[in-house]
Amino acid sequence: MGLKGFVEGGIASIVAGASTHPLDLIKVRMQLQGESHLPNPSVQVFRPALAVNSAAVGNVSISQAVSQPRVGPVSIGVRIVQSEGVAALFSGVSATILRQTLYSTTRMGLYDILKNKWTDNETGNLPLTSKILAGLIAGGVGAAVGNPADVAMVRMQADGRLPIDQRRNYKSVIDALGQMTKQEGIGSLWRGSALTVNRAMIVTASQLATYDQVKEMIIEKRVMADGIGTHVTASFTAGFVAAVASNPIDVIKTRVMNMKVAPGAEPPYSGALDCALKTVRAEGPMALYKGFIPTISRQGPFTVVLFVTLEQVRKLLKDF
């Protein structure tokens, strides 16, 4: 397969990532709800154009209005559009495209190489354990390559929820990477990398191995032929499994990557374990599944678009 597998996986990943970006943004906003180190997490901040008249709110700043209790993905999506505009749903999409180009292209291509190398030449079969191992290796390598874009993506997606005077206001993913390097050092580009690698290993192993296994079972048992119906069924199953397995790590990863460390100040979290413990103590164990509905709402469509596109690209490039 070689280079061809990287090209096919890269094209499919970029299409899937860009088309489902608004769902991922909503997921990130939900995962950041309730963080106790924010200046005032109970206050929703609006852009000046939509600020409430100061005379009507007494001592509350013109750029603030008391928010409602924590809400679901639809309400968050509506609030983003109302307070930041429709374009805000695609905040950080340039980082998403770069992330898919680096991370997903690497993991998809490497998984194909390992899968083809380990498949039995006589039977054409590859055990599920070998598929999982291939996914773990491919996901870990891909995440290490794509971590800078992942950090930039999380920050750009989360920026609109910060008070106006604390927003980073990155113009693009290149600007985000440049500012992080200048202000926080090059090491900030790999902040949360251990979490990113762990999550990517779990996602890739569960997602790619499940897709291949379910697809093979459907075809072998003649439930459906090798067509769009099989691809959609296998990919949605893979998306659900990946969402369940990865959500806790995803919540911690999002919070660690998004934390803002002032010069000379103590960081909100000293690491992944500290973040997990503080999150559970402050918000309960189920906080680790915060944003699960938008996660599965995004992971399902993302995985379906990913694999359906991948199968179509493979058909188009089969003669190359």
Side-chain angles (χ1 to χ4, degrees):
M1 187 68 89
L3 181 61
K4 187 179 175 184
F6 288 91
V7 174
E8 293 170 345
I11 293 172
S13 298
I14 290 170
V15 171
S19 61
T20 59
H21 181 82
L23 296 172
D24 194 47
L25 183 142
I26 291 171
K27 176 204 72 174
V28 167
R29 295 287 181 94
M30 287 192 73
Q31 289 175 338
L32 292 172
Q33 286 187 103
E35 281 193 291
S36 58
H37 67 268
L38 291 177
N40 190 347
S42 66
V43 171
Q44 175 68 44
V45 181
F46 298 91
R47 293 188 183 277
L50 293 176
V52 180
N53 190 300
S54 60
V57 293
N59 294 327
V60 179
S61 168
I62 191 170
S63 63
Q64 296 177 336
V66 178
S67 70
Q68 299 300 315
R70 294 175 195 172
V71 291
V74 175
S75 297
I76 285 182
V78 171
R79 288 186 179 186
I80 291 172
V81 171
Q82 289 176 338
S83 62
E84 302 171 51
V86 176
L89 292 174
F90 285 90
S91 296
V93 71
S94 60
T96 291
I97 292 173
L98 179 60
R99 176 178 181 268
Q100 296 301 335
T101 301
L102 297 175
Y103 159 62
S104 287
T105 298
T106 302
R107 74 180 183 118
M108 298 289 284
L110 185 55
Y111 177 79
D112 259 351
I113 289 175
L114 294 175
K115 187 174 70 171
N116 290 328
K117 184 176 181 180
W118 295 344
T119 297
D120 190 299
N121 292 327
E122 294 182 2
T123 63
N125 293 328
L126 181 68
L128 178 60
T129 52
S130 296
K131 293 172 186 169
I132 292 173
L133 180 59
L136 291 171
I137 294 171
V141 174
V145 172
N147 198 82
D150 208 359
V151 177
M153 182 187 71
V154 167
R155 290 189 174 195
M156 292 174 75
Q157 289 177 332
D159 207 38
R161 69 183 288 274
L162 294 171
I164 293 174
D165 61 343
Q166 293 185 23
R167 290 177 186 172
R168 299 176 176 104
N169 295 316
Y170 298 136
K171 298 179 180 65
S172 66
V173 63
I174 302 301
D175 180 50
L177 296 174
Q179 285 196 42
M180 280 189 283
T181 302
K182 290 178 183 177
Q183 297 171 6
E184 304 171 54
I186 193 138
S188 65
L189 300 181
W190 275 271
R191 179 173 291 163
S193 58
L195 287 166
T196 305
V197 169
N198 288 335
R199 177 190 178 276
M201 292 173 70
I202 291 172
V203 168
T204 304
S206 56
Q207 188 184 68
L208 301 188
T210 299
Y211 177 77
D212 283 342
Q213 193 70 18
V214 173
K215 177 184 171 183
E216 289 173 10
M217 289 173 61
I218 291 174
I219 295 172
E220 286 176 4
K221 296 183 181 297
R222 298 182 179 178
V223 177
M224 287 185 284
D226 185 6
I228 189 72
T230 297
H231 303 158
V232 170
T233 302
S235 58
F236 190 82
T237 303
F240 180 80
V241 172
V244 171
S246 66
N247 202 86
I249 294 177
D250 201 26
V251 171
I252 303 305
K253 176 183 78 72
T254 296
R255 295 190 172 195
V256 170
M257 284 183 169
N258 187 60
M259 68 177 177
K260 195 167 188 178
V261 184
E266 190 76 18
Y269 309 118
S270 60
L273 180 60
D274 181 53
C275 179
L277 293 174
K278 286 181 177 177
T279 298
V280 171
R281 286 170 185 166
E283 304 167 55
M286 289 310 296
L288 297 178
Y289 274 91
K290 187 171 286 185
F292 179 75
I293 297 302
T295 294
I296 187 59
S297 297
R298 185 259 181 185
Q299 192 71 254
F302 172 86
T303 310
V304 170
V305 174
L306 172 67
F307 286 112
V308 170
T309 303
L310 179 63
E311 297 286 359
Q312 297 306 309
V313 172
R314 282 175 175 169
K315 288 181 182 178
L316 292 172
L317 301 180
K318 66 179 179 180
D319 295 328
F320 287 90

